[in-house]
Amino acid sequence: MRGSPYGFDLFDNCISCTWRQESFFCNMGQPTLEAFDAIAFTSAYPKGAVLYSEGDAPRGAFLICHGGAKLSISSADGKTLITKIAKAGEVLGLSSALSGHPYKATAETIEPSQVNFIRRDDLHRFLGTHHPAYASVVRQLTEECEAEADHIRAIELSHSAAEKLANLILSWCPHEGPDKPCRCQMLLTHEDVSQMIGTSRETVTRLFKDFREKKLISMKGATLTVHNPAALRALVLL
């Protein structure tokens, strides 16, 4: 463990890491984790750091150990759509690192983060000699496919911007109960949210104000509290 300039300690190996959780690569057995540590390069990044850009040749994969990142795609006329918010425990650029195809999105940190980088050739050798890691790969790629389908459904089949925003806020809530009030960290700007639901920043700002006035949600700093999930769910017509 060593210090970083961003207010958290860096863990140079997975075995001693206190951020480990039961997700994807974090829950592999000790021999596999030790082999993974041997090929991983640990770095700390500030908020807003670009890990890789859409269309770049794949250098490797990026494991988020602490923090988070947003994945976005852009059109030729400059429009941007955020497709996913990746959390600690997820590997970014995995499909491109495996296939050799260019990265399909741009990955940018949304808060100070620790990221482990695994070069593409090292990743292929690692998977070839540590077969238990394949379960982690399959699990992540499966969840990515399902999440992308849910995102497309929420964006393309929603009937209004209010429905899209309600759907997004509900997706941030822990799944502890369908109508239980919840709190979550909102590290995205209104511009980021607009790029997630395919509308304007002004519309997002207006809708957040409307939701607050109706006592559906409240904001204190970066903490978003959902007071009435049932009312938000009533806005979702899908």
Side-chain angles (χ1 to χ4, degrees):
M1 185 173 66
R2 53 191 169 93
S4 79
Y6 307 117
F8 59 87
D9 290 325
L10 287 172
F11 288 90
D12 289 313
N13 65 79
C14 295
I15 301 299
S16 63
C17 180
T18 60
W19 294 324
R20 282 177 58 194
Q21 52 190 300
E22 291 299 312
S23 63
F24 305 131
F25 279 57
C26 290
N27 63 357
M28 298 184 294
Q30 181 165 334
T32 304
L33 282 177
E34 290 175 346
F36 186 80
D37 284 335
I39 61 172
F41 297 87
T42 301
S43 299
Y45 292 90
K47 177 182 177 180
V50 175
L51 302 178
Y52 57 84
S53 296
E54 181 181 2
D56 284 353
R59 298 182 290 115
F62 300 77
L63 170 63
I64 302 178
C65 301
H66 176 73
K70 61 183 179 183
L71 300 182
S72 63
I73 56 176
S74 299
S75 64
D77 60 0
K79 292 182 180 179
T80 300
L81 178 66
I82 295 175
T83 60
K84 179 181 176 63
I85 301 299
K87 301 177 182 178
E90 296 187 55
V91 180
L92 307 183
L94 180 58
S95 61
S96 292
L98 294 176
S99 69
H101 298 153
Y103 291 120
K104 302 301 182 183
T106 296
E108 179 182 342
T109 56
I110 58 173
E111 59 181 314
S113 303
Q114 174 179 324
V115 179
N116 283 4
F117 172 69
I118 308 93
R119 291 180 299 198
R120 183 168 177 253
D121 289 345
D122 290 337
L123 178 63
H124 280 256
R125 283 191 292 268
F126 170 72
L127 294 176
T129 55
H130 293 82
H131 294 165
Y134 271 111
S136 296
V137 170
V138 170
R139 181 183 172 192
Q140 169 149 343
L141 294 179
T142 299
E143 292 198 12
E144 284 181 3
C145 289
E146 293 178 349
E148 287 177 4
D150 288 342
H151 185 70
I152 292 170
R153 178 180 177 85
I155 296 300
E156 297 298 331
L157 299 183
S158 293
H159 296 78
S160 68
E163 182 180 348
K164 294 177 184 179
L165 182 58
N167 208 357
L168 179 63
I169 292 172
L170 289 170
S171 74
W172 294 339
C173 290
H175 300 292
E176 297 176 354
D179 298 319
K180 184 178 180 181
C182 69
R183 289 185 176 88
C184 58
Q185 291 296 106
M186 182 176 159
L187 301 175
L188 303 175
T189 65
H190 285 190
E191 180 68 24
D192 289 334
V193 174
S194 73
Q195 291 174 358
M196 289 198 75
I197 64 176
T199 188
S200 68
R201 179 188 58 78
E202 292 78 12
T203 297
V204 169
T205 299
R206 175 179 58 79
L207 287 172
F208 268 115
K209 180 181 178 181
D210 183 49
F211 287 1
R212 289 196 301 270
E213 290 176 347
K214 291 178 178 178
K215 310 297 184 184
L216 302 181
I217 65 171
S218 63
M219 290 287 299
K220 186 175 182 180
T223 301
L224 170 68
T225 301
V226 179
H227 299 289
N228 194 339
L232 277 182
R233 194 169 290 105
L235 295 174
V236 181
L237 303 179
L238 298 180

